[in-house]
Amino acid sequence: MKTYDVVILTDQKHAYPKSVDDYTKNVLAEDALVINALGKLGLKTIRLAWNDPDFDWSTTKSVLFRTTWDYFDDFAKFSEWLNYAAKVTTLINSERLIRWNIDKHYLQDLNINGVHIAETLFVEQGNSKTLKTLHHETGWNETVLKPCVSGAARHTYRLNTENIADHEAIFKSLIAQEAMMLQPFQHKIVTEGEVSMMVFNGVFTHAILKRAKAGDFRVQDDFGGSIQDYAPTDKEIEFAINTVNACNELPIYARVDIFNDNNGNIALAELELVEPELWFRNHPQAALILAEAIKEKISTLSFRT
């Protein structure tokens, strides 16, 4: 029989931390809440880096993506591992959802399915247009540029008419290697923040308000952003649930990041289905809700001995 019910996935840094700072403490505390919740339901778990060279992935019923935050550093290796793991175990979320969600072109699909997103121009790999030309064609004066496959605000730049020229070289280098996306700068993210809505198996559990530090526009704590508990409106909860229902397959876990756009409408910033921070430490009961969804999922599967 399978040795484990669930392997909780992290990265090398957090699987075997050489030092434990506050950031790492949060990661360990979050994973502990999930492990305890799974244990209460009788599920045998282990916590490993996704690229652990010694583990036999066929010996677990499922793997749960939690803090695989280095996958975009070596995406080719991660993609190869993902392809293998999907053949020998059950991925949570599924391989189909993960591959779709890794590339932010998914925003186009959700928009087609009725989810409001910010105006977005996708600039495909190999495009020869300059930033100056793209801004002229769109009529946008203040924008944010970022890769379609990214994380932790990697190569995310705030542009305006005064600094576009300074970013032409890095843009030329990036677009030769990967697709990029350009969006009008959203001023309300700076003044109001961005809300992360946690949804498990279609059920909303809790929300977090993220704010950028003074003088910045990035809400990630990597860049000094702060968080606080948030009580969402019924309209915001409905938006989050509608967003996960707009996927081709219902995610077992999702973080729906929303904001008020420049026109005052709720818009989707990102739908995180791969390795989002879910702030279980702010709402521990959500870990049990996730665990129950996982147990329900694997109970429907048949396994090779």
Side-chain angles (χ1 to χ4, degrees):
M1 300 295 291
K2 298 278 188 176
T3 305
Y4 299 100
D5 295 300
V6 187
V7 172
I8 295 176
L9 295 180
T10 185
D11 54 22
Q12 286 286 336
K13 176 182 177 181
H14 294 106
Y16 319 106
K18 296 179 180 180
S19 61
V20 181
D21 54 17
D22 289 342
Y23 194 81
T24 303
K25 286 180 182 178
N26 285 339
V27 171
L28 298 176
E30 294 268 309
D31 284 353
L33 287 170
V34 176
I35 291 170
N36 290 339
L38 291 166
K40 287 180 179 179
L41 298 181
L43 300 179
K44 187 176 181 181
T45 68
I46 188 174
R47 182 176 178 273
L48 295 170
W50 65 268
N51 52 359
D52 187 299
D54 301 318
F55 187 72
D56 180 355
W57 298 99
S58 68
T59 62
T60 182
K61 294 180 182 178
S62 66
V63 295
L64 172 65
F65 290 76
R66 283 291 298 126
T67 52
T68 55
W69 293 340
D70 60 349
Y71 76 84
F72 46 80
D73 293 332
D74 191 350
F75 183 70
K77 183 177 180 180
F78 176 77
S79 183
E80 181 181 350
W81 174 85
L82 192 65
N83 183 57
Y84 164 74
K87 294 176 181 177
V88 299
T89 189
T90 297
L91 306 186
I92 301 173
N93 287 312
S94 71
E95 180 191 14
R96 179 187 184 191
L97 279 176
I98 289 171
R99 290 196 179 278
W100 173 71
N101 189 239
I102 282 172
D103 189 322
K104 291 185 177 62
H105 282 87
Y106 73 79
L107 291 168
Q108 292 177 311
D109 298 332
L110 291 174
N111 192 225
I112 291 171
N113 289 341
V115 177
H116 178 57
I117 66 172
E119 290 180 277
T120 303
L121 174 67
F122 289 93
V123 189
E124 303 305 332
Q125 181 181 353
N127 192 301
S128 60
K129 292 182 179 180
T130 64
L131 286 174
K132 182 178 180 180
T133 297
L134 293 172
H135 282 75
H136 176 74
E137 291 178 350
T138 58
W140 300 337
N141 294 320
E142 291 185 86
T143 62
V144 172
L145 176 72
K146 54 188 172 183
C148 288
V149 177
S150 187
R154 179 182 72 90
H155 284 305
T156 298
Y157 304 105
R158 181 177 178 179
L159 306 177
N160 55 49
T161 54
E162 295 182 358
N163 71 0
I164 286 178
D166 298 335
H167 291 83
E168 290 287 9
I170 185 64
F171 173 68
K172 183 178 180 180
S173 174
L174 289 169
I175 202 64
Q177 304 174 57
E178 58 186 317
M180 304 290 291
M181 52 194 293
L182 190 69
Q183 296 175 317
F185 183 75
Q186 300 295 327
H187 294 274
K188 291 182 182 295
I189 290 182
V190 175
T191 59
E192 300 177 359
E194 179 181 285
V195 177
S196 287
M197 313 274 288
M198 272 50 76
V199 181
F200 298 100
N201 217 23
V203 178
F204 165 77
T205 59
H206 63 293
I208 294 293
L209 175 64
K210 300 179 290 185
R211 289 185 179 274
K213 72 176 183 180
D216 207 328
F217 67 97
R218 298 163 297 188
V219 297
Q220 293 88 350
D221 52 9
D222 309 58
F223 299 97
S226 61
I227 68 162
Q228 63 188 70
D229 288 334
Y230 180 78
T233 65
D234 291 343
K235 189 175 182 180
E236 288 170 331
I237 294 173
E238 180 182 17
F239 185 97
I241 293 174
N242 287 344
T243 297
V244 297
N245 286 333
C247 300
N248 290 330
E249 169 189 332
L250 183 66
I252 288 184
Y253 63 86
R255 195 185 82 203
V256 185
D257 292 341
I258 65 173
F259 66 98
N260 290 318
D261 66 16
N262 291 335
N263 297 316
N265 298 314
I266 299 175
L268 178 67
E270 290 188 90
L271 173 63
E272 296 279 7
L273 304 180
V274 184
E275 27 64 296
E277 185 167 10
L278 297 170
W279 290 285
F280 291 115
R281 61 189 182 275
N282 291 67
H283 193 84
Q285 182 64 21
L288 184 58
I289 295 173
L290 171 62
E292 289 170 341
I294 292 171
K295 183 173 183 178
E296 179 182 353
K297 173 70 176 179
I298 62 179
S299 69
T300 65
L301 304 173
S302 59
F303 299 100
R304 296 185 294 273
T305 58

